[in-house]
Amino acid sequence: MRSQLDLYANLRPVKSPKIQVNKSFLGVDMLIVRENTECLYVKQERYDEKEEKAVADRVITKKASKRIAEIAFKQAQLRQSNREQDSQHKKAKVTIVHKSNVMSVTDGLFRESCLSIAEKYPDVQVEEQLVDSMVYKMFLNPQQYDVVVAPNLYGDILSDAGAALVGGLGLVPSANVSDTFTLVEPVHGSAPDIQGKNIANPLATISAAALLLKRIGTEQNKYSLVGSQIEEAVSRTLSDKDAWSPDLGGTATTKQVTDRVIEHLKTLL
């Protein structure tokens, strides 16, 4: 579906709850921008039975790398604008993640493409991180990051790791976007092992709906406002440990968590 609709950017906000959940870090607020159409995920693999050798083609193009970088820098500017409205003055920053010291051709092209786009945004600070050191530094001091842009595979790994910093996969939404279409979903999978047990955490899915409304709200502000109100309702729900689902260390059912979000939302609308 991502390929058919050309949903080339996966936006994954990683933000700390107001209170600590599952030993989460406080003060984390970063956006991982993952390229969504190429890298190893093109699934071009082959196996040579004679040599007993498996080979996977890794595809990186200048076009895809530039357009994902464009999204990342625009998001950094937007986040900076929102912070100024909230009286926060953290400077917009984009961290380009790659491994060009080893994969100089593929990651080298991604790096160069992103840096060429960076020249159009002199108001945004730019830094680079090798993917292995990025994971290390992200777990030591995640608060230092703002927008992180990465090829498909690295972005997938970093966003799942980032979820661990803020309470778990049950809290992190994502938006798959193109220039004309948005599809939202929680970062976690379908979890068929707990299907029908009424214990799944609904907050990532609810937060994904908020992302969709805020994307629509770029043109119609009423939708963006409702999206922000849903996010606040989720935040207030997380502030009450009685409303935590089992994955967060609580006992609340899926329905109970959802009902609590609705209660908070009613007071905000």
Side-chain angles (χ1 to χ4, degrees), residues 127-138:
E127 68 174 12
E128 301 177 51
Q129 283 291 341
L130 299 178
V131 64
D132 45 354
S133 62
M134 175 67 189
V135 174
Y136 175 76
K137 292 179 179 179
M138 191 172 76

Side-chain angles (χ1 to χ4, degrees), residues 93-216:
K93 180 173 71 172
V94 171
T95 303
I96 303 168
V97 178
H98 56 80
K99 190 66 176 175
S100 66
N101 60 326
V102 175
M103 290 178 284
S104 58
V105 177
T106 51
D107 273 16
L109 179 59
F110 182 82
R111 172 184 179 271
E112 292 166 7
S113 299
C114 289
L115 289 174
S116 70
I117 296 298
E119 296 176 0
K120 298 167 54 178
Y121 297 88
D123 57 323
V124 179
Q125 181 182 344
V126 184
E127 68 174 12
E128 301 177 51
Q129 283 291 341
L130 299 178
V131 64
D132 45 354
S133 62
M134 175 67 189
V135 174
Y136 175 76
K137 292 179 179 179
M138 191 172 76
F139 272 89
L140 282 180
N141 182 19
Q143 296 89 345
Q144 67 180 298
Y145 295 107
D146 183 18
V147 175
V148 177
V149 62
N152 204 336
L153 177 61
Y154 302 159
D156 194 12
I157 294 170
L158 288 174
S159 55
D160 278 18
L165 300 173
V166 297
L169 285 169
L171 302 180
V172 181
S174 69
N176 302 278
V177 306
S178 70
D179 296 329
T180 58
F181 197 91
T182 298
L183 182 152
V184 299
E185 60 183 340
V187 167
H188 61 70
S190 58
D193 57 315
I194 59 172
Q195 181 181 357
K197 295 182 179 180
N198 199 25
I199 60 173
N201 186 341
L203 294 181
T205 302
I206 294 170
S207 297
L211 281 183
L212 180 59
L213 288 168
K214 294 181 82 170
R215 289 288 299 181
I216 296 171

Side-chain angles (χ1 to χ4, degrees), residues 3 19 52 77 79 87 95 107 125 177 230:
S3 297
I19 66 172
E52 297 183 317
Q77 286 184 326
R79 285 164 59 85
S87 300
T95 303
D107 273 16
Q125 181 182 344
V177 306
I230 292 174

Side-chain angles (χ1 to χ4, degrees), residues 2-269:
R2 289 172 177 172
S3 297
Q4 290 177 349
L5 296 173
D6 195 27
L7 302 173
Y8 63 86
N10 192 298
L11 309 181
R12 295 186 167 185
V14 178
K15 188 172 183 177
S16 298
K18 293 178 181 178
I19 66 172
Q20 195 173 49
V21 180
N22 283 346
K23 299 181 180 180
S24 61
F25 285 75
L26 297 176
V28 178
D29 184 6
M30 62 178 163
L31 176 67
I32 297 177
V33 180
R34 167 190 169 194
E35 203 290 318
N36 222 14
T37 64
E38 51 183 30
C39 191
L40 284 171
Y41 285 12
V42 295
K43 296 183 180 179
Q44 293 180 3
E45 298 180 293
R46 55 195 179 277
Y47 181 69
D48 187 322
E49 293 187 5
K50 183 178 180 180
E51 296 190 22
E52 297 183 317
K53 177 175 68 175
V55 178
D57 292 328
R58 184 171 191 255
V59 177
I60 299 289
T61 65
K62 182 179 290 188
K63 175 184 176 182
S65 300
K66 282 190 170 184
R67 68 180 182 175
I68 197 66
E70 193 83 53
I71 285 274
F73 280 93
K74 287 180 178 177
Q75 286 292 316
Q77 286 184 326
L78 177 61
R79 285 164 59 85
Q80 172 67 15
S81 175
N82 292 337
R83 284 195 293 264
E84 289 173 354
Q85 294 174 12
D86 294 335
S87 300
Q88 298 180 30
H89 303 290
K90 182 179 178 181
K91 182 175 173 58
K93 180 173 71 172
V94 171
T95 303
I96 303 168
V97 178
H98 56 80
K99 190 66 176 175
S100 66
N101 60 326
V102 175
M103 290 178 284
S104 58
V105 177
T106 51
D107 273 16
L109 179 59
F110 182 82
R111 172 184 179 271
E112 292 166 7
S113 299
C114 289
L115 289 174
S116 70
I117 296 298
E119 296 176 0
K120 298 167 54 178
Y121 297 88
D123 57 323
V124 179
Q125 181 182 344
V126 184
E127 68 174 12
E128 301 177 51
Q129 283 291 341
L130 299 178
V131 64
D132 45 354
S133 62
M134 175 67 189
V135 174
Y136 175 76
K137 292 179 179 179
M138 191 172 76
F139 272 89
L140 282 180
N141 182 19
Q143 296 89 345
Q144 67 180 298
Y145 295 107
D146 183 18
V147 175
V148 177
V149 62
N152 204 336
L153 177 61
Y154 302 159
D156 194 12
I157 294 170
L158 288 174
S159 55
D160 278 18
L165 300 173
V166 297
L169 285 169
L171 302 180
V172 181
S174 69
N176 302 278
V177 306
S178 70
D179 296 329
T180 58
F181 197 91
T182 298
L183 182 152
V184 299
E185 60 183 340
V187 167
H188 61 70
S190 58
D193 57 315
I194 59 172
Q195 181 181 357
K197 295 182 179 180
N198 199 25
I199 60 173
N201 186 341
L203 294 181
T205 302
I206 294 170
S207 297
L211 281 183
L212 180 59
L213 288 168
K214 294 181 82 170
R215 289 288 299 181
I216 296 171
T218 57
E219 295 180 0
Q220 301 183 50
N221 288 332
K222 64 179 181 180
Y223 295 115
S224 183
L225 175 60
V226 174
S228 296
Q229 290 168 329
I230 292 174
E231 289 177 339
E232 177 60 24
V234 168
S235 178
R236 293 184 185 186
T237 300
L238 278 170
S239 295
D240 183 358
K241 293 184 179 181
D242 289 338
W244 287 6
S245 50
D247 63 304
L248 302 182
T251 59
T253 65
T254 305
K255 185 178 186 307
Q256 287 171 335
V257 178
T258 303
D259 288 345
R260 191 66 60 88
V261 174
I262 293 171
E263 288 173 13
H264 287 303
L265 186 58
K266 286 178 179 178
T267 67
L268 294 165
L269 292 174

